[in-house]
Amino acid sequence: SRGEGQSPSVALTGGLIDLRRRPDSGGSAGGKGPLTLSLDRVRIAPDLELHGVRGTLLPRGVLTGTLTGTVNGQSPVTVDLAPLEGVQGIRVTSADAGGVFRSAKFVKSLRGGTLDLVLKNTASGVLDGSLSVSNARLVETPAAVDLLSAISIVGALDQMVNGGGLSLSTIETRLSVSPKGVRLRDGIANGPAL
């Protein structure tokens, strides 16, 4: 009980929420009391889910709060929801960008790195935003990429100290998430050997 005059709190436990079937954006988050989540899965795209989703959200025009979960049941992420430019904003962070990418079946050869993904709702219901990865390593790369890295003095030293692959200081891209999947565009990568 939250007390007299307080909006009731709501708890959703177990089951699946499929965000591909969310209504078009518009309006505001309903209710005024806290929404506590303890969900088995949240489906984002056809092959992309968060498992073991836990957290509490508050309706403040848009949903605000922090959730935790694992990408496809494997790599942990933190999801922060808050207003962004007057619409619902979503920020996803992880201390293991490579693990998140492998779990999401995006890139198998990325190791380590920190992930920072920022999305906002658009009028069409598509989430649009940017992805940034810092201090990751691209492994199991084609011989030509290893050769490029070895040609650079910094890259050659990096390979001797850290092993094969290509060290990437930053990876940045714009992206969109829709019910059909994830679309990456305008990407750039920087590293000691590039």
Side-chain angles (χ1 to χ4, degrees):
S1 170
R2 293 183 19 95
E4 187 175 328
Q6 296 288 318
S7 296
S9 60
V10 176
L12 293 176
T13 58
L16 163 73
I17 291 180
D18 192 338
L19 295 181
R20 298 174 304 162
R21 295 189 173 105
R22 72 186 187 274
D24 290 338
S25 63
S28 63
K32 294 184 181 180
L35 173 63
T36 302
L37 299 175
S38 181
L39 299 168
D40 297 329
R41 296 180 300 154
V42 174
R43 184 167 294 138
I44 300 161
D47 294 322
L48 182 59
E49 294 182 346
L50 290 181
H51 292 205
V53 176
R54 306 285 182 269
T56 299
L57 302 177
L58 298 171
R60 304 254 194 269
V62 297
L63 293 173
T64 62
T66 300
L67 304 172
T68 59
T70 58
V71 176
N72 288 336
Q74 299 172 5
S75 298
V77 293
T78 299
V79 180
D80 291 304
L81 293 107
L84 178 64
E85 298 175 13
V87 297
Q88 182 69 63
I90 302 168
R91 184 175 196 175
V92 180
T93 57
S94 176
D96 184 11
V100 169
F101 280 21
R102 285 189 308 280
S103 299
K105 301 175 186 166
F106 290 154
V107 178
K108 294 180 183 178
S109 56
L110 193 69
R111 299 291 183 267
T114 56
L115 170 77
D116 190 9
L117 169 65
V118 177
L119 299 166
K120 70 176 184 175
N121 228 356
T122 65
S124 64
V126 172
L127 297 172
D128 191 50
S130 62
L131 169 73
S132 176
V133 174
S134 302
N135 302 315
R137 185 172 230 30
L138 197 58
V139 298
E140 301 168 12
T141 56
V145 174
D146 283 338
L147 179 61
L148 173 66
S149 181
I151 289 172
S152 157
I153 293 172
V154 173
L157 289 172
D158 180 56
Q159 282 196 11
M160 284 190 290
V161 172
N162 297 311
L166 187 63
S167 179
L168 299 170
S169 303
T170 59
I171 302 169
E172 295 178 356
T173 188
R174 303 281 309 154
L175 75 154
S176 299
V177 180
S178 73
K180 296 178 183 176
V182 179
R183 179 176 172 236
L184 302 176
R185 61 189 189 280
D186 302 327
I188 187 167
N190 292 305
L194 299 178

PDB file of all heavy atoms in Angstrom, residues 27-29 57-66 79-91 118-121:
ATOM      1  N   GLY A  27       1.163  10.633 -27.168  1.00  0.00           N
ATOM      2  CA  GLY A  27       0.589  10.506 -25.839  1.00  0.00           C
ATOM      3  C   GLY A  27       1.689  10.460 -24.810  1.00  0.00           C
ATOM      4  O   GLY A  27       2.850  10.700 -25.079  1.00  0.00           O
ATOM      5  N   SER A  28       1.312  10.118 -23.603  1.00  0.00           N
ATOM      6  CA  SER A  28       2.288  10.067 -22.521  1.00  0.00           C
ATOM      7  C   SER A  28       2.144   8.754 -21.781  1.00  0.00           C
ATOM      8  O   SER A  28       1.196   8.010 -21.980  1.00  0.00           O
ATOM      9  CB  SER A  28       2.077  11.243 -21.563  1.00  0.00           C
ATOM     10  OG  SER A  28       0.804  11.144 -20.969  1.00  0.00           O
ATOM     11  N   ALA A  29       3.124   8.484 -20.952  1.00  0.00           N
ATOM     12  CA  ALA A  29       3.087   7.258 -20.146  1.00  0.00           C
ATOM     13  C   ALA A  29       1.885   7.341 -19.217  1.00  0.00           C
ATOM     14  O   ALA A  29       1.663   8.338 -18.548  1.00  0.00           O
ATOM     15  CB  ALA A  29       4.383   7.129 -19.355  1.00  0.00           C
ATOM     16  N   LEU A  57      10.114   1.615 -13.100  1.00  0.00           N
ATOM     17  CA  LEU A  57       9.923   2.772 -13.965  1.00  0.00           C
ATOM     18  C   LEU A  57       8.869   3.684 -13.359  1.00  0.00           C
ATOM     19  O   LEU A  57       7.929   3.220 -12.714  1.00  0.00           O
ATOM     20  CB  LEU A  57       9.469   2.318 -15.358  1.00  0.00           C
ATOM     21  CG  LEU A  57      10.409   1.370 -16.086  1.00  0.00           C
ATOM     22  CD1 LEU A  57       9.795   0.939 -17.409  1.00  0.00           C
ATOM     23  CD2 LEU A  57      11.768   2.021 -16.308  1.00  0.00           C
ATOM     24  N   LEU A  58       9.029   4.970 -13.589  1.00  0.00           N
ATOM     25  CA  LEU A  58       8.062   5.967 -13.127  1.00  0.00           C
ATOM     26  C   LEU A  58       7.543   6.730 -14.338  1.00  0.00           C
ATOM     27  O   LEU A  58       8.325   7.173 -15.168  1.00  0.00           O
ATOM     28  CB  LEU A  58       8.724   6.942 -12.157  1.00  0.00           C
ATOM     29  CG  LEU A  58       9.279   6.342 -10.868  1.00  0.00           C
ATOM     30  CD1 LEU A  58      10.098   7.374 -10.111  1.00  0.00           C
ATOM     31  CD2 LEU A  58       8.146   5.815 -10.010  1.00  0.00           C
ATOM     32  N   PRO A  59       6.225   6.906 -14.435  1.00  0.00           N
ATOM     33  CA  PRO A  59       5.678   7.703 -15.538  1.00  0.00           C
ATOM     34  C   PRO A  59       5.833   9.188 -15.225  1.00  0.00           C
ATOM     35  O   PRO A  59       5.329   9.666 -14.216  1.00  0.00           O
ATOM     36  CB  PRO A  59       4.211   7.284 -15.599  1.00  0.00           C
ATOM     37  CG  PRO A  59       3.893   6.757 -14.244  1.00  0.00           C
ATOM     38  CD  PRO A  59       5.178   6.272 -13.639  1.00  0.00           C
ATOM     39  N   ARG A  60       6.560   9.894 -16.059  1.00  0.00           N
ATOM     40  CA  ARG A  60       6.781  11.330 -15.879  1.00  0.00           C
ATOM     41  C   ARG A  60       6.603  12.017 -17.241  1.00  0.00           C
ATOM     42  O   ARG A  60       7.503  12.712 -17.687  1.00  0.00           O
ATOM     43  CB  ARG A  60       8.180  11.604 -15.358  1.00  0.00           C
ATOM     44  CG  ARG A  60       8.541  10.904 -14.076  1.00  0.00           C
ATOM     45  CD  ARG A  60       8.540  11.909 -12.931  1.00  0.00           C
ATOM     46  NE  ARG A  60       9.168  11.397 -11.748  1.00  0.00           N
ATOM     47  CZ  ARG A  60       8.519  10.769 -10.789  1.00  0.00           C
ATOM     48  NH1 ARG A  60       7.249  10.499 -10.919  1.00  0.00           N
ATOM     49  NH2 ARG A  60       9.138  10.368  -9.707  1.00  0.00           N
ATOM     50  N   GLY A  61       5.480  11.776 -17.913  1.00  0.00           N
ATOM     51  CA  GLY A  61       5.302  12.221 -19.298  1.00  0.00           C
ATOM     52  C   GLY A  61       5.860  11.162 -20.227  1.00  0.00           C
ATOM     53  O   GLY A  61       5.236  10.766 -21.194  1.00  0.00           O
ATOM     54  N   VAL A  62       7.072  10.703 -19.937  1.00  0.00           N
ATOM     55  CA  VAL A  62       7.664   9.514 -20.550  1.00  0.00           C
ATOM     56  C   VAL A  62       8.103   8.630 -19.380  1.00  0.00           C
ATOM     57  O   VAL A  62       8.129   9.063 -18.240  1.00  0.00           O
ATOM     58  CB  VAL A  62       8.875   9.848 -21.456  1.00  0.00           C
ATOM     59  CG1 VAL A  62       8.458  10.713 -22.633  1.00  0.00           C
ATOM     60  CG2 VAL A  62      10.000  10.501 -20.670  1.00  0.00           C
ATOM     61  N   LEU A  63       8.439   7.394 -19.671  1.00  0.00           N
ATOM     62  CA  LEU A  63       8.914   6.504 -18.607  1.00  0.00           C
ATOM     63  C   LEU A  63      10.326   6.887 -18.201  1.00  0.00           C
ATOM     64  O   LEU A  63      11.177   7.167 -19.050  1.00  0.00           O
ATOM     65  CB  LEU A  63       8.880   5.050 -19.074  1.00  0.00           C
ATOM     66  CG  LEU A  63       7.491   4.469 -19.307  1.00  0.00           C
ATOM     67  CD1 LEU A  63       7.595   3.078 -19.929  1.00  0.00           C
ATOM     68  CD2 LEU A  63       6.700   4.415 -18.008  1.00  0.00           C
ATOM     69  N   THR A  64      10.589   6.911 -16.898  1.00  0.00           N
ATOM     70  CA  THR A  64      11.929   7.162 -16.385  1.00  0.00           C
ATOM     71  C   THR A  64      12.296   6.037 -15.429  1.00  0.00           C
ATOM     72  O   THR A  64      11.431   5.471 -14.761  1.00  0.00           O
ATOM     73  CB  THR A  64      12.019   8.514 -15.645  1.00  0.00           C
ATOM     74  OG1 THR A  64      11.152   8.486 -14.519  1.00  0.00           O
ATOM     75  CG2 THR A  64      11.648   9.673 -16.547  1.00  0.00           C
ATOM     76  N   GLY A  65      13.563   5.699 -15.402  1.00  0.00           N
ATOM     77  CA  GLY A  65      14.030   4.666 -14.486  1.00  0.00           C
ATOM     78  C   GLY A  65      15.135   3.844 -15.114  1.00  0.00           C
ATOM     79  O   GLY A  65      15.591   4.117 -16.230  1.00  0.00           O
ATOM     80  N   THR A  66      15.567   2.824 -14.395  1.00  0.00           N
ATOM     81  CA  THR A  66      16.670   1.976 -14.827  1.00  0.00           C
ATOM     82  C   THR A  66      16.242   0.520 -14.792  1.00  0.00           C
ATOM     83  O   THR A  66      15.626   0.074 -13.824  1.00  0.00           O
ATOM     84  CB  THR A  66      17.899   2.190 -13.913  1.00  0.00           C
ATOM     85  OG1 THR A  66      18.297   3.560 -13.997  1.00  0.00           O
ATOM     86  CG2 THR A  66      19.056   1.303 -14.326  1.00  0.00           C
ATOM     87  N   VAL A  79      19.752  -0.443 -18.895  1.00  0.00           N
ATOM     88  CA  VAL A  79      18.910   0.384 -19.756  1.00  0.00           C
ATOM     89  C   VAL A  79      18.332   1.512 -18.905  1.00  0.00           C
ATOM     90  O   VAL A  79      17.628   1.248 -17.933  1.00  0.00           O
ATOM     91  CB  VAL A  79      17.760  -0.449 -20.382  1.00  0.00           C
ATOM     92  CG1 VAL A  79      16.900   0.428 -21.279  1.00  0.00           C
ATOM     93  CG2 VAL A  79      18.304  -1.651 -21.137  1.00  0.00           C
ATOM     94  N   ASP A  80      18.668   2.749 -19.263  1.00  0.00           N
ATOM     95  CA  ASP A  80      18.140   3.927 -18.579  1.00  0.00           C
ATOM     96  C   ASP A  80      17.115   4.594 -19.483  1.00  0.00           C
ATOM     97  O   ASP A  80      17.396   4.847 -20.660  1.00  0.00           O
ATOM     98  CB  ASP A  80      19.260   4.918 -18.251  1.00  0.00           C
ATOM     99  CG  ASP A  80      20.200   4.384 -17.193  1.00  0.00           C
ATOM    100  OD1 ASP A  80      19.722   4.042 -16.105  1.00  0.00           O
ATOM    101  OD2 ASP A  80      21.409   4.292 -17.475  1.00  0.00           O
ATOM    102  N   LEU A  81      15.933   4.856 -18.950  1.00  0.00           N
ATOM    103  CA  LEU A  81      14.879   5.538 -19.690  1.00  0.00           C
ATOM    104  C   LEU A  81      14.674   6.915 -19.091  1.00  0.00           C
ATOM    105  O   LEU A  81      14.613   7.059 -17.857  1.00  0.00           O
ATOM    106  CB  LEU A  81      13.575   4.742 -19.630  1.00  0.00           C
ATOM    107  CG  LEU A  81      13.653   3.423 -20.380  1.00  0.00           C
ATOM    108  CD1 LEU A  81      13.719   2.277 -19.404  1.00  0.00           C
ATOM    109  CD2 LEU A  81      12.478   3.276 -21.302  1.00  0.00           C
ATOM    110  N   ALA A  82      14.584   7.943 -19.957  1.00  0.00           N
ATOM    111  CA  ALA A  82      14.421   9.325 -19.513  1.00  0.00           C
ATOM    112  C   ALA A  82      14.004  10.164 -20.707  1.00  0.00           C
ATOM    113  O   ALA A  82      14.164   9.740 -21.855  1.00  0.00           O
ATOM    114  CB  ALA A  82      15.735   9.848 -18.930  1.00  0.00           C
ATOM    115  N   PRO A  83      13.498  11.371 -20.465  1.00  0.00           N
ATOM    116  CA  PRO A  83      13.169  12.246 -21.589  1.00  0.00           C
ATOM    117  C   PRO A  83      14.427  12.610 -22.376  1.00  0.00           C
ATOM    118  O   PRO A  83      15.502  12.801 -21.798  1.00  0.00           O
ATOM    119  CB  PRO A  83      12.589  13.497 -20.921  1.00  0.00           C
ATOM    120  CG  PRO A  83      12.359  13.164 -19.498  1.00  0.00           C
ATOM    121  CD  PRO A  83      13.198  11.986 -19.174  1.00  0.00           C
ATOM    122  N   LEU A  84      14.283  12.688 -23.699  1.00  0.00           N
ATOM    123  CA  LEU A  84      15.374  13.096 -24.582  1.00  0.00           C
ATOM    124  C   LEU A  84      14.762  13.930 -25.702  1.00  0.00           C
ATOM    125  O   LEU A  84      13.969  13.399 -26.492  1.00  0.00           O
ATOM    126  CB  LEU A  84      16.109  11.878 -25.148  1.00  0.00           C
ATOM    127  CG  LEU A  84      17.248  12.156 -26.115  1.00  0.00           C
ATOM    128  CD1 LEU A  84      18.375  12.922 -25.417  1.00  0.00           C
ATOM    129  CD2 LEU A  84      17.799  10.853 -26.694  1.00  0.00           C
ATOM    130  N   GLU A  85      15.085  15.201 -25.714  1.00  0.00           N
ATOM    131  CA  GLU A  85      14.553  16.119 -26.730  1.00  0.00           C
ATOM    132  C   GLU A  85      13.025  16.045 -26.800  1.00  0.00           C
ATOM    133  O   GLU A  85      12.429  16.017 -27.876  1.00  0.00           O
ATOM    134  CB  GLU A  85      15.194  15.841 -28.085  1.00  0.00           C
ATOM    135  CG  GLU A  85      16.693  16.052 -28.084  1.00  0.00           C
ATOM    136  CD  GLU A  85      17.363  15.658 -29.394  1.00  0.00           C
ATOM    137  OE1 GLU A  85      16.652  15.443 -30.395  1.00  0.00           O
ATOM    138  OE2 GLU A  85      18.599  15.576 -29.405  1.00  0.00           O
ATOM    139  N   GLY A  86      12.373  15.950 -25.644  1.00  0.00           N
ATOM    140  CA  GLY A  86      10.925  15.981 -25.564  1.00  0.00           C
ATOM    141  C   GLY A  86      10.207  14.677 -25.855  1.00  0.00           C
ATOM    142  O   GLY A  86       8.985  14.637 -25.871  1.00  0.00           O
ATOM    143  N   VAL A  87      10.958  13.603 -26.104  1.00  0.00           N
ATOM    144  CA  VAL A  87      10.356  12.289 -26.370  1.00  0.00           C
ATOM    145  C   VAL A  87      11.034  11.243 -25.484  1.00  0.00           C
ATOM    146  O   VAL A  87      11.971  11.544 -24.752  1.00  0.00           O
ATOM    147  CB  VAL A  87      10.482  11.883 -27.867  1.00  0.00           C
ATOM    148  CG1 VAL A  87       9.712  12.849 -28.756  1.00  0.00           C
ATOM    149  CG2 VAL A  87      11.939  11.799 -28.293  1.00  0.00           C
ATOM    150  N   GLN A  88      10.552  10.005 -25.580  1.00  0.00           N
ATOM    151  CA  GLN A  88      11.152   8.916 -24.803  1.00  0.00           C
ATOM    152  C   GLN A  88      12.583   8.674 -25.255  1.00  0.00           C
ATOM    153  O   GLN A  88      12.849   8.453 -26.422  1.00  0.00           O
ATOM    154  CB  GLN A  88      10.342   7.627 -24.989  1.00  0.00           C
ATOM    155  CG  GLN A  88      10.879   6.454 -24.177  1.00  0.00           C
ATOM    156  CD  GLN A  88      10.684   6.643 -22.682  1.00  0.00           C
ATOM    157  OE1 GLN A  88       9.571   6.717 -22.201  1.00  0.00           O
ATOM    158  NE2 GLN A  88      11.773   6.725 -21.940  1.00  0.00           N
ATOM    159  N   GLY A  89      13.507   8.735 -24.308  1.00  0.00           N
ATOM    160  CA  GLY A  89      14.900   8.431 -24.584  1.00  0.00           C
ATOM    161  C   GLY A  89      15.297   7.131 -23.910  1.00  0.00           C
ATOM    162  O   GLY A  89      14.769   6.777 -22.847  1.00  0.00           O
ATOM    163  N   ILE A  90      16.206   6.411 -24.549  1.00  0.00           N
ATOM    164  CA  ILE A  90      16.685   5.125 -24.033  1.00  0.00           C
ATOM    165  C   ILE A  90      18.198   5.113 -24.158  1.00  0.00           C
ATOM    166  O   ILE A  90      18.746   5.398 -25.225  1.00  0.00           O
ATOM    167  CB  ILE A  90      16.106   3.945 -24.854  1.00  0.00           C
ATOM    168  CG1 ILE A  90      14.578   3.984 -24.828  1.00  0.00           C
ATOM    169  CG2 ILE A  90      16.643   2.615 -24.333  1.00  0.00           C
ATOM    170  CD1 ILE A  90      13.937   3.051 -25.840  1.00  0.00           C
ATOM    171  N   ARG A  91      18.869   4.775 -23.060  1.00  0.00           N
ATOM    172  CA  ARG A  91      20.333   4.652 -23.089  1.00  0.00           C
ATOM    173  C   ARG A  91      20.694   3.259 -22.598  1.00  0.00           C
ATOM    174  O   ARG A  91      20.315   2.863 -21.496  1.00  0.00           O
ATOM    175  CB  ARG A  91      20.973   5.700 -22.202  1.00  0.00           C
ATOM    176  CG  ARG A  91      22.482   5.662 -22.278  1.00  0.00           C
ATOM    177  CD  ARG A  91      23.086   6.785 -21.498  1.00  0.00           C
ATOM    178  NE  ARG A  91      24.478   6.947 -21.884  1.00  0.00           N
ATOM    179  CZ  ARG A  91      25.246   7.898 -21.457  1.00  0.00           C
ATOM    180  NH1 ARG A  91      24.762   8.814 -20.640  1.00  0.00           N
ATOM    181  NH2 ARG A  91      26.500   7.968 -21.837  1.00  0.00           N
ATOM    182  N   VAL A 118      22.452   5.291 -27.477  1.00  0.00           N
ATOM    183  CA  VAL A 118      21.439   6.272 -27.123  1.00  0.00           C
ATOM    184  C   VAL A 118      20.395   6.301 -28.232  1.00  0.00           C
ATOM    185  O   VAL A 118      20.734   6.489 -29.407  1.00  0.00           O
ATOM    186  CB  VAL A 118      22.052   7.681 -26.931  1.00  0.00           C
ATOM    187  CG1 VAL A 118      20.971   8.705 -26.626  1.00  0.00           C
ATOM    188  CG2 VAL A 118      23.098   7.664 -25.827  1.00  0.00           C
ATOM    189  N   LEU A 119      19.129   6.086 -27.860  1.00  0.00           N
ATOM    190  CA  LEU A 119      18.025   6.057 -28.822  1.00  0.00           C
ATOM    191  C   LEU A 119      16.917   6.995 -28.373  1.00  0.00           C
ATOM    192  O   LEU A 119      16.739   7.224 -27.184  1.00  0.00           O
ATOM    193  CB  LEU A 119      17.449   4.637 -28.924  1.00  0.00           C
ATOM    194  CG  LEU A 119      18.388   3.546 -29.399  1.00  0.00           C
ATOM    195  CD1 LEU A 119      17.788   2.176 -29.115  1.00  0.00           C
ATOM    196  CD2 LEU A 119      18.687   3.710 -30.878  1.00  0.00           C
ATOM    197  N   LYS A 120      16.161   7.505 -29.345  1.00  0.00           N
ATOM    198  CA  LYS A 120      14.967   8.283 -29.018  1.00  0.00           C
ATOM    199  C   LYS A 120      13.846   7.854 -29.939  1.00  0.00           C
ATOM    200  O   LYS A 120      14.078   7.434 -31.080  1.00  0.00           O
ATOM    201  CB  LYS A 120      15.213   9.777 -29.092  1.00  0.00           C
ATOM    202  CG  LYS A 120      15.418  10.315 -30.481  1.00  0.00           C
ATOM    203  CD  LYS A 120      15.556  11.816 -30.458  1.00  0.00           C
ATOM    204  CE  LYS A 120      15.673  12.339 -31.870  1.00  0.00           C
ATOM    205  NZ  LYS A 120      15.686  13.774 -31.926  1.00  0.00           N
ATOM    206  N   ASN A 121      12.634   7.945 -29.427  1.00  0.00           N
ATOM    207  CA  ASN A 121      11.446   7.595 -30.188  1.00  0.00           C
ATOM    208  C   ASN A 121      11.226   8.634 -31.280  1.00  0.00           C
ATOM    209  O   ASN A 121      11.435   9.821 -31.051  1.00  0.00           O
ATOM    210  CB  ASN A 121      10.234   7.572 -29.251  1.00  0.00           C
ATOM    211  CG  ASN A 121       9.395   6.329 -29.406  1.00  0.00           C
ATOM    212  OD1 ASN A 121       9.642   5.495 -30.261  1.00  0.00           O
ATOM    213  ND2 ASN A 121       8.387   6.214 -28.573  1.00  0.00           N
TER     214      ASN A 121
END
